[in-house]
Amino acid sequence: MEIIVLSGDNLPAAAEVHAKSWRESHRAICPPDFVDAHTAARQEAYLRAKQAEGSMIYLLLEEGKALGLVSRSGSLIADCYVLPEHQRKGYGSALLRQAIADCPETPRLWILESNTGAERLYERFGFRRHAERFCRGQGIRDGHHESRGGRGPP
């Protein structure tokens, strides 16, 4: 396993990971047309824009294949996605460890309230719910989490 900083060469692969993972994780909570609109091309533009705004995006590779990614803007961690068929293998934890280690201040993140699997992962790393809000006019609730201690499990 290798975690690298996203570059133009591997942007299409990262966009595929982001699109597939995002669609799978949001399918049960978002309208179908909204989910289907998250194509690899759209996510590539999204990731490119994040980079242009100064976000650091890390890509996890296994034997040269892109399996997951996470972004960090300052100390705000976002976009932690692993291909569905590769989840629960420690890849999300590895990505999160990398992003946390590079945070200049207390790490924080936003997650959808209904994303209980991700919330359990983040809680193992010391994150606790800090606030919540509704977003995107979709009636979707998300929560702001902050790290409340160590840097997570080894």
Side-chain angles (χ1 to χ4, degrees):
M1 172 178 45
E2 176 184 23
I3 297 176
I4 62 171
V5 174
L6 185 66
S7 69
D9 293 341
N10 45 41
L11 185 58
E16 283 289 337
V17 169
H18 194 284
K20 184 175 182 181
S21 303
W22 191 98
R23 286 191 308 265
E24 185 64 29
S25 67
H26 289 71
R27 191 169 309 285
I29 56 176
C30 295
D33 57 333
F34 185 67
V35 171
D36 293 340
H38 286 74
T39 63
R42 177 178 172 165
Q43 300 314 101
E44 184 171 337
Y46 168 78
L47 294 172
R48 192 180 310 279
K50 284 194 75 131
Q51 284 183 309
E53 294 167 356
S55 288
M56 183 68 69
I57 301 173
Y58 305 97
L59 183 64
L60 184 140
L61 304 172
E62 185 72 70
E63 297 180 6
K65 179 178 167 127
L67 301 182
L69 71 149
V70 67
S71 69
R72 181 187 57 77
S73 179
S75 292
L76 179 63
I77 298 169
D79 302 305
C80 189
Y81 290 104
V82 174
L83 288 172
E85 63 270 23
H86 293 285
Q87 292 176 1
R88 298 191 188 351
K89 296 179 181 179
Y91 296 133
S93 292
L95 285 162
L96 192 54
R97 263 193 300 282
Q98 180 70 53
I100 289 170
D102 290 348
C103 285
E105 297 176 356
T106 301
R108 52 198 199 325
L109 52 85
W110 287 97
I111 63 169
L112 293 176
E113 183 180 68
S114 58
N115 195 346
T116 56
E119 189 164 24
R120 283 191 304 272
L121 169 66
Y122 300 141
E123 285 175 350
R124 286 198 313 267
F125 278 82
F127 286 89
R128 297 295 177 259
R129 183 175 297 270
H130 179 70
E132 62 184 14
R133 66 179 180 171
F134 283 103
C135 62
R136 291 194 187 89
Q138 301 277 335
I140 300 169
R141 186 182 299 271
D142 67 359
H144 176 212
H145 290 62
E146 282 190 359
S147 177
R148 293 287 188 218
R151 294 281 181 164

